[in-house]
């Protein structure tokens, strides 16, 4: 079961300037910066109430974020929901007819197991499932 809006992922071209912008907008510094080598992205996280904003910048031409920004403008890339049991939620979503981009959960940013739901099966929205490790 989806338990909480975990974060909104925002694709950005320049992580340094986007971090400065969101620091000013939110009136606070990010709580975490992280490089996720498996996804070729650098991330910055801001806590906003019970949810988060994740800024994502690709670190190579092969990064999904770099490829995304080659086709689309900066902005909302995905919406992430917290789950208690990611494998059970993946099985439930498959049974409901959703297409998942991962066969198994993988380690993502912010100490989470993650899995993505294909945008074609979610009205054009990339959905991420997150479970704390």
């Amino acid at each position: 079961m989806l338990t909480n809006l975990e974060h909104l992922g925002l694709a950005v071209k320049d992580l340094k300037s986007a971090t400065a912008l969101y620091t000013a907008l939110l009136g606070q510094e990010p709580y975490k910066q992280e490089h996720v080598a498996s996804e070729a992205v650098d991330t910055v996280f801001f806590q906003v109430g019970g949810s988060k904003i994740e800024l994502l910048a690709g670190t190579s031409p092969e990064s999904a974020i770099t490829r995304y920004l080659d086709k689309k403008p900066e902005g909302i890339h995905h919406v992430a929901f917290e789950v208690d049991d990611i494998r059970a939620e993946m099985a439930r979503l498959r049974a409901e007819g959703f297409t998942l981009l991962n066969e198994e959960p993988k380690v993502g940013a912010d100490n989470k197991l993650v899995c993505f739901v294909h945008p074609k099966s979610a009205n054009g929205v990339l959905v991420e499932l997150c479970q704390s490790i």
Side-chain angles (χ1 to χ4, degrees), residues 82-109:
E82 188 173 359
V83 299
D84 291 328
D85 183 339
I86 196 166
R87 285 179 176 82
E89 192 59 23
M90 290 169 70
R92 184 187 76 79
L93 291 173
R94 278 189 195 102
E96 291 287 342
F98 290 91
T99 302
L100 304 182
L101 295 177
N102 313 90
E103 288 299 316
E104 288 292 322
K106 58 185 176 178
V107 177

Side-chain angles (χ1 to χ4, degrees), residues 7-13 15 18 21-22 25-26 42-44 46 52-57 65 68-69 73-79:
H7 68 268
L8 291 177
L10 308 179
V12 302
K13 291 181 181 179
L15 192 59
L21 182 139
Y22 277 88
L25 177 70
L26 299 172
D42 286 334
T43 67
V44 171
F46 291 90
K52 302 170 196 162
I53 300 290
E54 177 188 27
L55 305 179
L56 302 122
I65 296 299
Y68 176 88
L69 289 171
E74 293 179 292
I76 296 176
H77 176 260
H78 66 272
V79 59

